[in-house]
Amino acid sequence: MKLTFQIFLFLFCICGEAFCQDEEFFTEEVLEENQFFFLGETHGISSNYDMARKMILELKAKTNFKYYLAENDLVTTMTLNEYISSRDSLGLKTMMEGQGAIASRCVERYEFYRFLMDLNDQYEDDIILLGTDINASGNIDEIRELLEKNKNPFIDEYVRENWEYTRLAFSVRDDSWNRVRDSLIYLNYQKLEDYFELEDEIIFGVWGTDHAYKAKTENADWFASSLGNEGKKGYSVIQYYIDCEASMPWHFYLNKPKKNKLFHNRKWTDIKGDDLKSLKNRRGE
C-alpha cells in the first residue's frame, strides 16, 4: 500500500529552548487527514519535554484525544497510569527513582507526568498512556504484581508473550535489533488496537527519532512506517538540536554537535516543596 505517514522536518532546539517556524503544529487540514501524531526525539535532551507539552496542549484542545503511545512496555505504562490517574506524585517519583535508564528518571520526565496530572484535571477524558514497546526494563516485580492484581486474560497473555518477544529481540545480532524490535512494537500495537478499540481514536506519541520515520530504511521497517504500510495516516515531527542540555553521556550523541552540555539539566535534589519533604519523611531522613 502507499505510505501515508507524513514527515515534518523543521523543529530545532537551541540553547535549551525549543522553537519552530510556525506557532501552530496542527492545522485543520493536518487534523482532518491524520490519526497518528508523533514527536521524534533524541532521548535525554531536556527540551524534548517542552515540545511534547506544547504539542499535547494544542492537540488536546483541538481534538480531546485520549491515548498517548509511549516508548515503554505495557506494564510500565499501566503502573504510570495508576499514579497519574490518582494524582499520586510521591508514588510516581518513587517508581521513577527505581528505573534503570538515565532518561527514564530525570526531573524533566517527572515534571512531564505531573503536567499530565494537571492537564487531566481540566478535561473529562484523561490522557491514557499505552506502552507498545517490548519489555526491556526487566521490571519482574511489577509484572508479577500486575498479573496478580488484574486477573485479566488478555493482559496476562499479552505480558507473557512480550516476555518472549524480549528474549527474541535480545537474541539477535546488533544489525538486526531495530528490525526485530520495531516489528514487535507494531505487532503489540495491533493487539492493543483491537483490545482498546483504537481504530478511530486520535493518538499522540513521543518516540525515538527512528521509530517515527515514515519510510522503511535499510535497517528496519520502523513503527511509523509499518502503520503507514497498512494505510494508517499519521504526521511526524522530528527534532534537531544545537547546544542543548543533555542528561546522558556524550557517546550516546555521536551524531550531535559537540556543543551539547554533558550534565543533567536538573538533579532530583532540585525538586523542592511538599513532594521532597514527603519523600524524605517516608524514608526516615
Side-chain angles (χ1 to χ4, degrees):
M1 293 186 180
K2 181 181 178 181
L3 294 180
T4 54
F5 253 74
Q6 302 176 21
I7 205 81
F8 208 24
L9 299 175
F10 74 178
L11 181 60
F12 289 80
C13 299
I14 295 185
C15 300
E17 297 296 330
F19 74 95
C20 58
Q21 295 175 349
D22 189 351
E23 288 296 321
E24 187 177 33
F25 279 108
F26 309 114
T27 63
E28 183 176 345
E29 180 181 4
V30 167
L31 293 174
E32 288 179 353
E33 293 181 353
N34 298 283
Q35 177 189 6
F36 294 85
F37 301 88
F38 287 160
L39 174 62
E41 67 170 30
T42 295
H43 300 315
I45 303 292
S46 301
S47 53
N48 290 334
Y49 300 97
D50 296 330
M51 294 315 305
R53 280 190 287 267
K54 177 178 174 61
M55 294 177 71
I56 287 172
L57 284 171
E58 182 181 339
L59 192 62
K60 184 68 173 175
K62 291 181 176 180
T63 69
N64 194 28
F65 78 96
K66 294 185 294 184
Y67 292 99
Y68 177 117
L69 286 187
E71 193 176 338
N72 296 103
D73 60 89
L74 183 63
V75 172
T76 296
T77 54
M78 291 183 72
T79 306
L80 286 169
N81 284 331
E82 289 185 7
Y83 292 128
I84 292 173
S85 63
S86 63
R87 293 10 178 204
D88 183 1
S89 57
L90 178 59
L92 170 66
K93 183 173 182 293
T94 303
M95 172 197 173
M96 292 182 65
E97 285 186 318
Q99 294 183 324
I102 295 174
S104 297
R105 51 185 170 90
C106 64
V107 173
E108 290 82 6
R109 181 169 292 203
Y110 168 79
E111 292 182 342
F112 174 73
Y113 292 141
R114 288 292 304 268
F115 156 76
L116 291 181
M117 290 182 189
D118 295 338
L119 185 62
N120 285 343
D121 285 338
Q122 302 174 34
Y123 289 88
E124 182 176 350
D125 295 324
D126 282 3
I127 293 176
I128 300 170
L129 277 65
L130 287 180
T132 58
D133 206 348
I134 59 173
N135 180 8
S137 61
N139 48 351
I140 304 296
D141 292 338
E142 289 181 18
I143 291 175
R144 289 173 178 166
E145 182 179 347
L146 180 73
L147 296 180
E148 292 175 0
K149 181 188 302 184
N150 282 273
K151 303 297 182 183
N152 181 311
F154 169 80
I155 299 297
D156 185 275
E157 181 179 3
Y158 179 97
V159 170
R160 294 181 190 280
E161 284 183 347
N162 262 263
W163 197 248
E164 295 304 316
Y165 291 170
T166 302
R167 293 177 185 271
L168 171 62
F170 279 97
S171 70
V172 301
R173 296 175 55 183
D174 290 344
D175 57 358
S176 299
W177 161 257
N178 288 322
R179 176 178 56 80
V180 173
R181 180 188 173 197
D182 273 65
S183 66
L184 295 174
I185 290 173
Y186 178 62
L187 181 61
N188 281 338
Y189 172 75
Q190 289 180 307
K191 295 176 183 179
L192 296 180
E193 181 184 62
D194 290 340
Y195 182 75
F196 290 101
E197 300 180 345
L198 304 176
E199 294 87 350
D200 299 319
E201 294 286 347
I202 298 295
I203 294 174
F204 178 79
V206 177
W207 289 81
T209 297
D210 292 347
H211 306 295
Y213 283 153
K214 69 174 184 178
K216 179 179 180 179
T217 65
E218 182 179 352
N219 294 329
D221 203 354
W222 303 103
F223 180 37
S225 64
S226 295
L227 290 168
N229 292 341
E230 297 300 318
K232 298 183 182 298
K233 297 181 178 181
Y235 191 75
S236 291
V237 175
I238 304 298
Q239 298 180 87
Y240 290 93
Y241 309 86
I242 301 174
D243 196 22
C244 289
E245 294 178 329
S247 61
M248 287 186 176
W250 168 249
H251 65 75
F252 192 85
Y253 301 102
L254 295 178
N255 62 335
K256 300 297 181 292
K258 290 189 177 181
K259 289 184 178 180
N260 281 5
K261 300 174 184 177
L262 305 184
F263 55 85
H264 195 297
N265 188 31
R266 282 186 291 166
K267 308 293 185 183
W268 277 113
T269 52
D270 289 335
I271 293 182
K272 307 296 183 183
D274 293 338
D275 283 344
L276 184 59
K277 182 178 180 181
S278 298
L279 185 62
K280 287 184 175 181
N281 289 338
R282 184 172 176 178
R283 291 174 171 173
E285 297 178 8

